[in-house]
Amino acid sequence: MRIALLGGTGDIGEGLALRFARDTGHEILIGSRDPEKARDAVADYEDELDERGAEADVKGFANEMAADRADVVVLSVPPYYAGDTVDAVADSLDEDTVLVTPAVGMQGDEDGLHYHPPSAGSVTELVAQRAPDAVPVVGAFHNLAADALADLDNELDLDTLVVADDDDAKDTVLTLANEIEGLRALDVGPLANAAEVESVTPLVINIAKYNEDMHDVGVKWI
């Protein structure tokens, strides 16, 4: 498959790009509003992968071109850009494209981070509202620490929770996530359950904030 990471030059985009490129045989497309920035990121990722002897197929494009070429499109952008990014690439999406969002709405204060969903109920549901009607939307990769993903010396032993209304699209993302070494994907039902999944993220970050030895906190369900 071709996997496009829109906003793939950012923290979560970098981590997913490196893990997908190293652990799977899929073609990875890095998207950005600035295609030159995407190509610069690709060069950095290739250097990182080359140092570990990993052969990977990574290319950089503007977001719209990356989405147009992809089978799976991951919105690796901050939550407040998710809807606008969907609008910007809508003409590049169709019923054969699986649209994935890991974004979580949060607000911070002196105590820590707190879940702050949009009026749609969750960022995942917001993306589903903004996406073209025929495009299946999947929520995944919400509770993963970007630094832990991007550090390829870090051996993962984590779960990611996956929600979707379209069973075929959900199965695609479950399979794809399970291809990442040390990551287990769990089915959590329809998009209506996205808020519960997303709300775990600020909890994970707050645990890292208040415990010195738990910087790259993740979730493992047993």
Side-chain angles (χ1 to χ4, degrees), residues 23 46 50 53 63 65 98 100 104 114 131-132 144 146 174 179 198 205 207 220 222:
D23 296 343
E46 288 178 333
D50 285 345
N63 279 335
M65 294 182 67
V98 178
V100 182
V104 175
H114 309 284
L144 303 175
L174 287 166
E179 291 182 45
E198 294 179 15
I205 296 172
I207 292 172
K220 185 75 174 180
I222 58 175

Side-chain angles (χ1 to χ4, degrees), residues 189-204:
L191 293 179
N193 294 338
E196 286 74 22
V197 174
E198 294 179 15
S199 66
V200 174
T201 301
L203 171 62
V204 166

Side-chain angles (χ1 to χ4, degrees), residues 8-59:
T9 61
D11 292 343
I12 189 67
E14 176 183 4
L16 289 174
L18 290 172
R19 295 284 173 168
F20 283 137
R22 189 195 67 175
D23 296 343
T24 80
H26 304 299
E27 182 179 348
I28 311 303
L29 310 178
I30 303 302
S32 173
R33 289 178 293 176
D34 179 355
E36 188 62 33
K37 186 176 180 181
R39 288 189 285 269
D40 288 344
V42 167
D44 291 339
Y45 300 165
E46 288 178 333
D47 288 344
E48 180 79 8
L49 293 162
D50 285 345
E51 288 180 5
R52 289 167 169 77
E55 295 183 5
D57 190 357
V58 187
K59 298 181 177 68

Side-chain angles (χ1 to χ4, degrees), residues 93-107:
L93 306 173
D94 58 36
E95 61 184 6
D96 295 322
T97 308
V98 178
L99 184 61
V100 182
T101 171
V104 175
M106 295 180 285
Q107 284 187 336

Side-chain angles (χ1 to χ4, degrees), residues 5 23 53 58 66-67 73 95-96 99 125 151 157 162 167 187 202:
L5 296 157
D23 296 343
V58 187
V73 174
E95 61 184 6
D96 295 322
L99 184 61
E125 290 168 295
D151 181 3
D157 184 20
V162 181
D167 289 340
D187 186 344

